[in-house]
Amino acid sequence: MAAIASILYTEEEIQLRVRELASDITRDYAGQSPVLVSILKGGVVFLADLIQQVDLPLRLDFMSISSYGAGAQATGVVRIIKDLDQDIGGEHVLIVEDIIDTGLTLSYLLSALWARGPASIEVCALLDKAVRRIAPLDIRYRGFDCPDQFVVGYGLDHQERYRNLPFILGVHDQAGLAADPDSLRSFLGRHSAPRGGIARPEGAAEAGPASPTQA
Ligand code: IMP
Ligand code: MG
């Protein structure tokens, strides 16, 4: 049986890239005290690792948003469930996101945040699924160019599961995962897997070697 998912980015690859992004941010914002804004919940794992490597007197803030029912996906219009605690007027804002897909959500948020008069707003996204972009976005800091594949792990979820994986899985069989949302649970508790049993697939479309369904 084909693998439902396999490792797309290992823990080591992610941590290396996070350090590189952090050093770019440290260099670019030297002498400034940016406000890093993360959108709950997907971005928090990336944010937590990133900020520990950024050598600046930064501040954190969070937003939580929810889509407006049917049609929201097509427009990106969202409702702000939890707004920023700080006034960003005159501040340098860096939005830290897990993944930019269509870009609709973020472009809507960007216009809402620009209306508050910040000095600047830039975007740092761990994954860029550029092929799916509908709303053009300028992503200043980009971790990886992500293939057009559903991904979970390192903050990214499927039905709230798998956010705590330290690596990122590419899902090959979304229907299989939808039918059994717990089908990837054997990846949990296998934190040494990237160095050991589960090899990184050569091509994103290829099934990985060991998989929960084969194991
Ligand atoms: P968009 O850019 O407005 O299409 O939506 C981006 C949001 O959708 C991200 O912040 C994620 O929360 C979610 N998302 C998009 N692609 C994926 C994926 O492959 N796995 C998990 N969540 C995703
Ligand atoms: Mg998100």
Side-chain angles (χ1 to χ4, degrees), residues 39-40 42-43 97-99:
I39 318 296
L40 298 170
E97 261 283 47
D98 49 359
I99 188 166

Side-chain angles (χ1 to χ4, degrees), residues 42 76 97-106 129 132-133 149-152 156-158:
E97 261 283 47
D98 49 359
I99 188 166
I100 315 288
D101 188 37
T102 64
L104 289 167
T105 315
L106 192 55
K129 245 191 226 178
R132 300 245 316 156
R133 195 66 28 82
Q149 192 178 17
F150 190 76
V151 292
V152 296
L156 292 143
D157 73 305
H158 175 259

Side-chain angles (χ1 to χ4, degrees), residues 37-182:
V37 170
S38 188
I39 318 296
L40 298 170
K41 306 170 212 171
V44 299
V45 177
F46 175 40
L47 177 82
D49 281 345
L50 185 76
I51 58 168
Q52 294 172 71
Q53 310 289 333
V54 173
D55 193 8
L56 292 170
L58 58 79
R59 287 159 292 159
L60 290 184
D61 214 331
F62 296 92
M63 286 182 98
S64 181
I65 56 174
S66 126
S67 299
Y68 276 114
Q73 261 190 315
T75 63
V77 176
V78 294
R79 188 158 55 99
I80 296 176
I81 303 286
K82 185 228 166 283
D83 207 337
L84 299 175
D85 294 331
Q86 313 167 42
D87 178 2
I88 56 165
E91 302 286 354
H92 293 287
V93 175
L94 179 59
I95 299 180
V96 179
E97 261 283 47
D98 49 359
I99 188 166
I100 315 288
D101 188 37
T102 64
L104 289 167
T105 315
L106 192 55
S107 60
Y108 178 82
L109 270 182
L110 282 170
S111 39
L113 294 178
W114 272 119
R116 302 178 188 186
S120 68
I121 308 183
E122 299 291 350
V123 176
C124 174
L126 181 67
L127 303 179
D128 178 11
K129 245 191 226 178
V131 69
R132 300 245 316 156
R133 195 66 28 82
I134 294 173
L137 276 178
D138 184 15
I139 305 175
R140 174 100 176 249
Y141 306 97
R142 175 191 288 102
F144 300 99
D145 288 314
C146 183
D148 186 9
Q149 192 178 17
F150 190 76
V151 292
V152 296
Y154 200 69
L156 292 143
D157 73 305
H158 175 259
Q159 296 185 12
E160 292 302 325
R161 294 159 172 85
Y162 311 118
R163 294 192 195 273
N164 56 328
L165 292 172
F167 43 79
I168 292 173
L169 297 174
V171 176
H172 306 297
D173 179 4
Q174 248 186 290
L177 182 59
D180 178 8
D182 287 312

Side-chain angles (χ1 to χ4, degrees), residues 163-208:
R163 294 192 195 273
N164 56 328
L165 292 172
F167 43 79
I168 292 173
L169 297 174
V171 176
H172 306 297
D173 179 4
Q174 248 186 290
L177 182 59
D180 178 8
D182 287 312
S183 59
L184 303 179
R185 68 185 168 276
S186 60
F187 280 98
L188 294 162
R190 295 178 66 174
H191 289 186
S192 58
R195 289 178 289 268
I198 305 173
R200 184 177 181 219
E202 288 307 314
E206 287 172 29

